[in-house]
Amino acid sequence: MPLKLPFKAGLLASALLLSGCPEVPETMLLSDGFAPMTAECLHPSVNGSQPLPSTFSLLTWNIYKQQGDWQTELNRWVGDSNLLLLQEARSSEELHHWLQQRHYHWFQVAAFNWEQKANGVLTASTGQASRVCGQRIREPATRIPKSLLFSYYSLEGASQQLLVVNLHAVNFSLRGRTYQEQLDRISGFIENYGGPVIVAGDFNRWNPRRERLLRLWAGREQLSEAVPTPDHRTRFIGYPLDAVFYRGLTLEQAQSMRSEASDHGPLKVSFRVKGSDTPQAGGGKANPLE
């Protein structure tokens, strides 16, 4: 299966184009508590919202537009995750109901509409974000946008807020220019940010050029990769497609799972605020990319 992923992505893009011409909507941000917005950024009120705990967990997963039995797998994996990052999320009543049942606040970037449903990255949390910003970037070949979502959260024990970046990287960028542009957009938010940072999602790291660009970028931004143990991540010619990078936090545990509902498996990672006195036995390791 992993060896066919770029080919599958091409087939999916062709199917989208042939089945109704995906539209890029004026609306940028969708959420559980606000009307759809055309603006890229929103500053929700966090009055009464609980900060994330000093030790918290994150689940990230390319959910493949909820085409498989996604609910069964999410119910199995999500547990007490404080943050949920989905890529290829499709705005549907079933997904919204699932999130509401678990008391998640969520925002989604409407990267494109297909069959009258918005598709794009979605970030959900047990606490309300204080600021969110969404971005689109078009695939060079198909012109179908991929998306980025930047979210800021209060975090117990941290002097500054946690910045969480949810990424679905471009797939068809043969020379890597658009891929690099997307990484540079993330740098625009994180390079001068002094608080803790997490960048996670589907990096579409499937060739040596992308691996090199990603490692150079992570080194410049002083990001480490949370490598799961054991490592079951979906790969193409040896390169893992999905990842979690971080700085300003202590890694507690990282694990990956296999999926039958998607062509990507999820990653679950636990962190704690630096200086917190609640260390736990870790199942993953940090991989500094400097």
Side-chain angles (χ1 to χ4, degrees):
M1 179 180 67
L3 291 176
K4 299 178 181 178
L5 278 171
F7 178 66
K8 289 176 68 177
L11 287 179
L12 179 58
S14 299
L16 289 173
L17 290 169
L18 291 172
S19 64
C21 292
E23 298 177 348
V24 180
E26 292 186 6
T27 298
M28 173 66 76
L29 291 172
L30 308 175
S31 77
D32 63 311
F34 300 88
M37 294 191 60
T38 57
E40 285 190 355
C41 295
L42 175 68
H43 294 75
S45 171
V46 294
N47 293 334
S49 177
Q50 293 296 317
L52 299 177
S54 58
T55 299
F56 64 94
S57 60
L58 170 151
L59 182 77
T60 178
W61 186 29
N62 183 322
I63 200 169
Y64 197 50
K65 300 178 180 63
Q66 295 105 260
Q67 296 183 72
D69 187 9
W70 61 272
Q71 292 195 50
T72 297
E73 296 196 355
L74 262 185
N75 288 335
R76 183 188 314 147
W77 297 322
V78 72
D80 58 353
S81 297
N82 307 97
L83 290 162
L84 174 63
L85 280 65
L86 300 177
Q87 301 85 46
E88 291 196 34
R90 191 176 190 206
S91 185
S92 67
E93 292 182 3
E94 292 80 10
L95 178 59
H96 296 167
H97 180 66
W98 187 93
L99 293 164
Q100 182 182 34
Q101 281 186 317
R102 283 149 187 82
H103 307 289
Y104 278 124
H105 300 285
W106 58 269
F107 286 89
Q108 181 177 12
V109 177
F112 63 89
N113 287 346
W114 177 46
E115 295 182 344
Q116 301 181 330
K117 300 289 185 183
N119 292 260
V121 296
L122 182 151
T123 300
S125 172
T126 54
Q128 181 62 276
S130 65
R131 181 189 180 203
V132 293
C133 291
Q135 292 188 2
R136 304 180 181 114
I137 186 166
R138 288 183 184 268
E139 292 273 4
T142 66
R143 310 304 295 166
I144 298 173
K146 291 292 196 296
S147 48
L148 279 163
L149 184 58
F150 303 85
S151 308
Y152 297 78
Y153 299 96
S154 297
L155 181 61
E156 288 181 354
S159 59
Q160 296 190 61
Q161 292 187 324
L162 170 68
L163 169 53
V164 178
V165 185
N166 188 352
L167 163 72
H168 189 190
V170 295
N171 205 18
F172 304 104
S173 175
L174 296 180
R175 295 184 179 180
R177 293 176 182 173
T178 310
Y179 190 75
Q180 183 65 59
E181 179 187 345
Q182 202 169 22
L183 296 177
D184 290 342
R185 289 191 184 191
I186 298 174
S187 293
F189 279 76
I190 72 172
E191 62 184 354
N192 295 316
Y193 187 70
V197 172
I198 295 172
V199 184
D202 178 0
F203 285 80
N204 271 319
R205 169 178 35 177
W206 49 262
N207 67 14
R209 183 191 298 272
R210 288 170 177 244
E211 171 74 2
R212 184 178 68 256
L213 292 174
L214 184 57
R215 286 185 173 274
L216 289 172
W217 170 79
R220 285 195 302 270
E221 299 302 339
Q222 299 182 326
L223 294 165
S224 297
E225 183 173 6
V227 179
T229 305
D231 192 344
H232 297 307
R233 287 178 293 175
T234 302
R235 295 173 179 267
F236 180 75
I237 60 172
Y239 299 109
L241 303 181
D242 306 285
V244 175
F245 293 90
Y246 68 97
R247 74 177 188 222
L249 295 164
T250 298
L251 175 65
E252 289 287 296
Q253 187 177 43
Q255 56 183 314
S256 60
M257 292 75 78
R258 294 186 175 95
S259 171
E260 295 182 0
S262 172
D263 54 353
H264 292 250
L267 279 163
K268 189 168 187 178
V269 185
S270 299
F271 296 101
R272 63 181 170 91
V273 174
K274 282 191 171 181
S276 172
D277 58 357
T278 58
Q280 300 174 1
K285 59 182 179 179
N287 179 18
L289 297 183
E290 297 84 32

